Amino acid sequence: MAVTAQQQAAAQPQLVFLDGTFEELALEMAEYLNIASDIQPLVEKNQKEEVLGKLVQASGGLNTVQEKEYTAASNLMIYLVLQSQDPRRYLPTLCNTFAKPITTSPHNGVGLSLNALTTVFNLLPSENPIRARVFLEILKFLKRHAMFDTLRPYLPHLEQWNETWGTDEDFQRSMYEEIAEIASEAGFPEESRRYIIKALRSFDSDDKEELSTEEAQNLALRAIRTALLSNTQYLYQDLRGIPVIEALSDSHPVYYQLLEVFAEQDLEDFNDFNDEHEGWIEEQKLDYDRLYRKMRLLTFASLAAATPSREIPYSNIVRALRIPEEEVEMWTIDAIRAGLVEGKLSQQRKTFLVHKVTYRVFGTKQWQELSTRVDNWKSTLTTVLETLLQGRADVKAQQEREVQELERKLAQANVGGQQGQGGGRRHHQGKQQKERAENAD
């Protein structure tokens, strides 16, 4: 359900400031719940735990109080319970009471209930392990009311809290499963998947008996089903590496076989699986059409990853995906939208040029393909470098030839000038000699 601004304001934790002795406050609470006659004798005998037992037992009456009185009344009840030598005796019942929104406030009841639960949580010392149980009740409350956004601020603290509280694997697994369901119902599949994985990893990988328990197997099957039917998840290698998932190869071999198909095989393998286990997908209530579509997209990714030239002809896509040629562009666009490939279609050349591809698995085969591709790139770059070097050498040689030609022309020009100057000097000397001879006569 949607959370209004008033509900969010009401859900803010409130501190409890109370004045009076335990006996005085207990009698005040008893009068409010109309059980003063039962509490008075116990107070007079100083039977504190018996008083608390009676108050908590009658705490369901808080669900019918007026909205304006609820916070004060719930705070008083919390304060009294925390005076017990063992609050764990009363907190489950009290939290169960608070988890039921008051009937007198249809608009703010959810926020007031959440405020009461968080007040219990916040008033407990941070290292108190009881906090873990209260937090689990808060999770259940948030799940019932689809309040994932309210849960988000808690998530970064989970690891530290679990360490501080000393919670065991069973508790952590329950917590992660609750969070996964809250996220899934709120439409956050990636968050849900992340916490399912955390829950799966909480099983002891060395304890084969624990891995084969019904709880472990059911959670593993749920993880596989969720992953296969997800509209956003296309990679499954990480699931196969989780011990409790691996244990399915013995207990549920058909499920594990289907997971392997989606992890690294192609459409032809999926068809073979379906022929071998005819009707099994329908029996398990898996959506065959959705699985078939996803398998086509995964096959497209594998085809792109296995093409060294990075240029895929339409004909190869038609053959791998078993589609008519007129649907090639549609499926290519779907693969791009799914984030499996990036590239450019060429309608003229009827090819798809791959710019980037997501590898479904990365093992020996993929390393070999990568090595081949790197060798191809290296050869291409070597050719480009050689072409550039040859071009630079050609330019340099041309420049040298031009310089030499220019020097030759300049040299010729200088020689011609010197010859002209020499002829002038001889003419001038001859004229002087003639003038001297005439003067002598």
Side-chain angles (χ1 to χ4, degrees), residues 330-344:
M330 179 191 71
W331 281 99
T332 303
I333 293 172
D334 285 347
I336 293 173
R337 287 174 176 169
L340 293 170
V341 296
E342 292 179 11
K344 183 178 181 181

Side-chain angles (χ1 to χ4, degrees), residues 2-20:
V3 182
T4 66
Q6 287 180 313
Q7 288 173 338
Q8 290 177 339
Q12 297 300 317
Q14 299 183 15
L15 296 177
V16 179
F17 296 100
L18 299 170
D19 187 21

Side-chain angles (χ1 to χ4, degrees), residues 85-181:
Q85 294 181 350
D86 186 13
R88 288 177 298 179
R89 292 174 55 187
Y90 313 109
L91 285 177
T93 301
L94 190 61
C95 288
N96 185 56
T97 296
F98 291 155
K100 299 174 183 177
I102 58 176
T103 58
T104 56
S105 179
H107 296 294
N108 297 325
V110 171
L112 291 169
S113 290
L114 180 59
N115 173 62
L117 289 170
T118 54
T119 298
V120 177
F121 182 80
N122 291 330
L123 288 179
L124 288 168
S126 59
E127 69 281 358
N128 193 326
I130 303 176
R131 248 187 159 207
R133 299 297 171 184
V134 175
F135 181 70
L136 197 58
E137 293 301 318
I138 292 175
L139 282 181
K140 293 177 180 178
F141 180 86
L142 296 177
K143 177 184 175 183
R144 282 196 297 273
H145 298 282
M147 300 172 71
F148 182 68
D149 286 339
T150 305
L151 173 62
R152 280 185 180 276
Y154 291 105
L155 299 182
H157 306 287
L158 294 184
E159 301 298 332
Q160 180 183 352
W161 283 349
N162 280 319
E163 183 177 349
T164 300
W165 299 333
T167 57
D168 57 22
E169 289 79 5
D170 290 340
F171 175 86
Q172 294 177 26
R173 184 159 51 252
S174 298
M175 180 177 64
Y176 293 144
E177 288 186 55
E178 292 287 353
I179 295 172
E181 290 187 13

Side-chain angles (χ1 to χ4, degrees), residues 224-258:
I224 292 178
R225 290 175 57 86
T226 301
L228 293 177
L229 296 175
S230 169
N231 292 323
T232 58
Q233 184 176 349
Y234 291 92
L235 302 180
Y236 301 95
Q237 186 66 11
D238 58 342
L239 275 179
R240 290 201 304 175
I242 300 175
V244 68
I245 296 288
E246 292 178 343
L248 291 178
S249 61
D250 295 325
S251 60
H252 296 79
V254 182
Y255 259 107
Y256 192 79
Q257 182 183 352
L258 182 60

Side-chain angles (χ1 to χ4, degrees), residues 160-318:
Q160 180 183 352
W161 283 349
N162 280 319
E163 183 177 349
T164 300
W165 299 333
T167 57
D168 57 22
E169 289 79 5
D170 290 340
F171 175 86
Q172 294 177 26
R173 184 159 51 252
S174 298
M175 180 177 64
Y176 293 144
E177 288 186 55
E178 292 287 353
I179 295 172
E181 290 187 13
I182 297 171
S184 177
E185 292 173 4
F188 294 90
E190 290 303 317
E191 289 280 359
S192 177
R193 175 179 174 273
R194 187 155 68 94
Y195 283 96
I196 287 179
I197 296 297
K198 285 179 175 289
L200 289 172
R201 295 190 183 280
S202 67
F203 291 100
D204 187 350
S205 60
D206 297 325
D207 189 341
K208 292 185 178 181
E209 290 187 3
E210 184 178 16
L211 296 179
S212 61
T213 60
E214 183 178 358
E215 178 189 6
Q217 299 289 284
N218 287 340
L219 183 59
L221 291 173
R222 172 189 167 192
I224 292 178
R225 290 175 57 86
T226 301
L228 293 177
L229 296 175
S230 169
N231 292 323
T232 58
Q233 184 176 349
Y234 291 92
L235 302 180
Y236 301 95
Q237 186 66 11
D238 58 342
L239 275 179
R240 290 201 304 175
I242 300 175
V244 68
I245 296 288
E246 292 178 343
L248 291 178
S249 61
D250 295 325
S251 60
H252 296 79
V254 182
Y255 259 107
Y256 192 79
Q257 182 183 352
L258 182 60
L259 177 62
E260 286 190 315
V261 170
F262 275 81
E264 59 179 326
Q265 297 175 15
D266 56 25
L267 186 61
E268 183 178 354
D269 297 299
F270 178 73
N271 289 333
D272 290 343
F273 170 89
N274 198 45
D275 291 339
E276 180 183 354
H277 307 285
E278 186 176 358
W280 182 85
I281 288 179
E282 290 75 14
E283 290 175 2
Q284 298 301 315
K285 293 182 171 47
L286 296 170
D287 189 331
Y288 175 82
D289 292 335
R290 183 183 295 186
L291 296 183
Y292 196 85
R293 179 184 181 278
K294 179 178 281 192
M295 202 66 238
R296 274 180 165 163
L297 295 175
L298 292 172
T299 300
F300 194 112
S302 294
L303 177 62
T307 304
S309 66
R310 291 291 181 153
E311 190 171 87
I312 310 175
Y314 279 18
S315 58
N316 290 5
I317 299 174
V318 167

